[in-house]
Amino acid sequence: MATEILMPALSPTMEEGTLAKWLVKEGQAVKSGMVIAEIETDKATMEFEAVDEGVVGKILIAEGTAGVKVNTPIAVLLDEGEDASAVAAPKAVALVAAAPVAAAVAPVVAAESRGEPRPTAAVSGGARVFASPLARRIAKEKGLDLAAVTGSGPHGRIVRADVEGVQPGAVKPAAAPVAAEAPKAAPAPAAAAAMPTGMAAETVMKMYADRAYEEVALDGMRRTIAARLTEAKQTIPHFYLRRDVKLDALMAFREQLNKQLEGRGVKLSVNDFIIKACAMALQAVPNANAVWAGDRILRLKPSDVAVAVAVEGGLFTPVLRDADKKSLSALSAEMKDLAGRAKTKKLAPHEYQGGSFAISNLGMMGVENFDAVINPPHGSILAVGAGVKKPVVMGDGTIGVATVMSMTLSVDHRVIDGALGAEFLKAVIDALENPMVMLA
């Protein structure tokens, strides 16, 4: 019996994607785990692996097609001996780019680095059971209840091998389908209906009808950024804490370290020290290492620090996990790797989702001071400006010159109060003004 291959959900919030490239052809045999396609999300291009084995009977969605909804059939897999002519003609699928909705920008807790078809979930007592299409078909033929079968696939997914050896009497039989009422449509999220979108496109275009302009369509990344920032500014009660930090000791220390590390090809940036200082501060002030989770606060144990990286058309916030436990050189190497792959959209979802705190550094672009928008569900974000030589009052009361950098901490008042935010920012500055402690 033919099995449909469905558009996979490559992250918990993915609703659609672009089928960038097919790596198999019709008539080609595939095995479980074989990479068969490349799929683009709003953030990355990822490989998609076959879960079942068989022969590609028909490709339903051509490569390059955008706006393919999750769970849309994209190809048909035949069992050994089946004829492709027996495959029914696919139903017409409307591929319309989805408008931004609240579900597309919900906070993400975890994600998978590899794609696989999102299985139709069998339901037993309210619990969802994930199984491959072939496993579901075999279970149906045997009258098995998938809820009673233990899956050996990724993340407990039930695969062919799990159901082939099970005898019908060994588990509770599947309940007969109820042919009563049709399923009710799920109500639209209230947040999506309530979120203002600003002036309508037609209204704005009429205002500029007599002026030359170029219309730029929003891609998936830009739509997601627009929705998330709207959500952030409308739902997060931001407040801001500002401090200056003297960088002279750090700059001298960095120069000394880079000379010693030159033979290893390591060159530390000021940003590497900032990442380390923030990671240490999250441990020193653990109550600030927190995120907002709807109706509660989650206080994290590790220091997972996200760092904003500008890419063409938007930005990524790759996360350096357990940053407090890593050396400056290790953080530097990891950050270079993440930033490089971010620019080519080769990051896996788990590499840019999560963390409790973020850093946005525009100092390297000459910006001296700015306020950053919190990336939900983070509790705070640090905006870092440029180091500028300024006259300052020295410890002995005389006027001197120092390299001063402005830092602004944007804080979610639901998670972190003013005094706690100030304590955290002080811990960051103490580490930066006494950089040797970062080697301890």
Side-chain angles (χ1 to χ4, degrees):
M1 179 184 252
T3 301
E4 290 181 334
I5 299 175
L6 307 180
M7 183 68 168
L10 302 180
S11 76
T13 58
M14 177 177 166
E15 294 194 345
E16 64 177 40
T18 297
L19 209 162
K21 185 178 182 181
W22 279 108
L23 302 177
V24 294
K25 299 178 180 179
E26 292 182 358
Q28 182 175 341
V30 300
K31 293 183 178 181
S32 177
M34 179 177 173
V35 178
I36 61 173
E38 292 181 355
I39 292 173
E40 291 181 6
T41 67
D42 60 330
K43 291 282 191 179
T45 300
M46 301 178 65
E47 295 177 339
F48 171 40
E49 297 179 355
V51 176
D52 300 302
E53 58 184 34
V55 176
V56 180
K58 192 170 187 62
I59 290 177
L60 305 179
I61 303 294
E63 63 181 39
T65 304
V68 183
K69 303 287 187 183
V70 167
N71 282 341
T72 297
I74 58 175
V76 175
L77 195 65
L78 304 175
D79 283 341
E80 186 177 349
E82 283 189 310
D83 190 349
S85 62
V87 177
K91 298 177 182 178
V93 179
L95 301 177
V96 182
V101 294
V105 297
V108 178
V109 177
E112 298 177 350
S113 61
R114 293 275 185 172
E116 59 182 41
R118 178 187 288 177
T120 302
V123 180
S124 177
R128 298 197 301 168
V129 179
F130 292 98
S132 73
L134 182 58
R136 290 199 306 275
R137 176 166 61 81
I138 295 172
K140 184 178 179 181
E141 291 171 353
K142 288 188 169 188
L144 302 177
D145 183 0
L146 286 174
V149 177
T150 302
S152 62
H155 306 282
R157 192 171 190 264
I158 299 170
V159 296
R160 178 179 184 173
D162 299 322
V163 293
E164 277 188 326
V166 179
Q167 298 304 316
V171 296
K172 182 176 65 176
V178 179
E181 58 179 302
K184 297 178 181 178
M195 183 176 289
T197 57
M199 297 174 69
E202 294 77 9
T203 303
V204 177
M205 290 164 70
K206 285 179 182 177
M207 292 172 60
Y208 298 94
D210 62 339
R211 310 303 298 161
Y213 63 80
E214 176 187 1
E215 186 175 338
V216 180
L218 299 182
D219 60 14
M221 175 180 285
R222 204 70 237 169
R223 284 201 309 270
T224 300
I225 289 172
R228 285 183 66 86
L229 293 182
T230 300
E231 175 200 17
K233 291 300 287 185
Q234 289 182 341
T235 64
I236 298 176
H238 287 64
F239 73 93
Y240 307 93
L241 301 172
R242 310 180 200 280
R243 288 280 305 266
D244 285 340
V245 53
K246 296 183 181 69
L247 290 182
D248 298 276
L250 187 148
M251 298 297 283
F253 186 58
R254 169 176 169 262
E255 184 179 0
Q256 181 184 354
L257 278 181
N258 280 340
K259 284 182 180 178
Q260 296 174 346
L261 295 171
E262 190 174 358
R264 291 165 47 188
V266 176
K267 186 174 183 180
L268 302 176
S269 68
V270 173
N271 208 48
D272 297 330
F273 285 89
I274 294 170
I275 294 168
K276 180 68 172 180
C278 291
M280 293 173 59
L282 290 171
Q283 294 297 310
V285 189
N287 287 347
N289 190 14
V291 299
W292 179 254
D295 62 351
R296 67 201 67 190
I297 293 171
L298 304 183
R299 286 185 179 146
L300 279 70
K301 301 296 183 184
S303 289
D304 296 342
V305 178
V307 181
V309 175
V311 301
E312 184 177 356
L315 59 85
F316 275 93
T317 51
V319 180
L320 295 108
R321 299 176 183 271
D322 298 302
D324 60 302
K325 299 177 181 177
K326 295 173 181 175
S327 66
L328 285 162
S329 58
L331 287 173
S332 180
E334 185 176 354
M335 190 64 235
K336 286 182 176 67
D337 171 61
L338 290 170
R341 289 191 290 118
K343 292 180 187 300
T344 56
K345 292 192 175 182
K346 294 298 183 183
L347 291 179
H350 73 275
E351 294 179 302
Y352 60 79
Q353 294 171 341
S356 63
F357 165 84
I359 298 169
S360 179
N361 189 343
L362 293 180
M364 58 193 73
M365 298 181 182
V367 176
E368 293 186 24
N369 191 296
F370 70 104
D371 299 341
V373 179
I374 295 170
N375 184 27
H378 292 175
S380 59
I381 182 171
L382 185 67
V384 180
V388 179
K389 288 191 177 296
K390 294 182 178 180
V392 297
V393 178
M394 308 304 285
D396 60 1
T398 60
I399 301 296
V401 177
T403 303
V404 178
M405 181 173 71
S406 173
M407 306 177 83
T408 301
L409 184 69
S410 303
V411 185
D412 184 343
H413 216 321
R414 300 171 300 181
V415 182
I416 300 171
D417 292 323
L420 180 60
E423 184 182 358
F424 172 74
L425 189 54
K426 181 180 183 300
V428 173
I429 290 173
D430 285 348
L432 291 174
E433 291 188 343
N434 302 279
M436 289 192 68
V437 302
M438 289 186 251
L439 299 184

